[in-house]
């Protein structure tokens, strides 16, 4: 690594969320809303796509959380997310208020 370059170590021992995939069986993995809030930033699009590919390779259902606008929904659908949640559909509900 050269002076002044930045690095992100997602495999940081004992603190990586990716390491938890080895210990716990999971069914769903969420894309954090911080990515949606940065759309249509090209880097956010790339990272959203990469995360989707990793999760799909692990045979886990990807979920995009925090979707608030139609443009976010459109971009995430284009990237390949089929399950989303967020204020675009509904404000937070108490379980008793929830109806299918």
């Amino acid at each position: 690594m050269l002076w002044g370059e930045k690095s992100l170590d997602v495999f940081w021992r004992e603190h990586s969320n990716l390491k938890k995939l080895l210990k716990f069986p999971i069914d769903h993995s969420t894309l954090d809303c911080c990515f949606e809030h940065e759309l249509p930033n090209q880097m956010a699009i790339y990272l959203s796509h990469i995360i989707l590919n990793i999760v799909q390779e692990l045979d886990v259902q990807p979920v995009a959380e925090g979707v608030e606008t139609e443009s976010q929904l459109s971009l995430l659908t284009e990237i390949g997310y089929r399950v989303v949640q967020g204020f675009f559909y509904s404000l937070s509900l108490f379980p008793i208020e929830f109806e299918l």
Side-chain angles (χ1 to χ4, degrees):
M1 194 161 74
L2 299 173
W3 174 257
E5 290 184 338
K6 295 181 246 10
S7 173
L8 174 65
D9 186 358
V10 296
F11 303 103
W12 189 26
R13 209 178 89 193
E14 302 303 323
H15 299 287
S16 171
N17 285 331
L18 294 176
K19 182 178 178 187
K20 292 180 179 136
L21 294 174
L22 298 172
K23 292 184 177 187
F24 305 110
I26 59 171
D27 298 312
H28 301 86
S29 180
T30 59
L31 175 69
D32 190 81
C33 62
C34 69
F35 289 98
E36 283 88 353
H37 295 161
E38 294 296 324
L39 293 173
N41 174 299
Q42 195 62 47
M43 184 61 77
I45 292 172
Y46 290 148
L47 290 172
S48 299
H49 191 82
I50 289 167
I51 292 166
L52 175 70
N53 288 336
I54 290 170
V55 169
Q56 287 176 329
E57 286 294 322
L58 295 171
D59 199 27
V60 173
Q61 175 67 55
V63 179
E65 67 176 22
V67 177
E68 297 178 355
T69 67
E70 190 169 343
S71 63
Q72 290 172 338
L73 176 62
S74 177
L75 272 169
L76 289 164
T77 302
E78 187 178 315
I79 291 169
Y81 285 87
R82 300 293 174 250
V83 178
V84 299
Q85 64 185 37
F87 291 160
F88 179 75
Y89 290 107
S90 173
L91 296 176
S92 299
L93 300 172
F94 289 103
I96 197 148
E97 298 173 311
F98 182 74
E99 237 180 78
L100 291 176

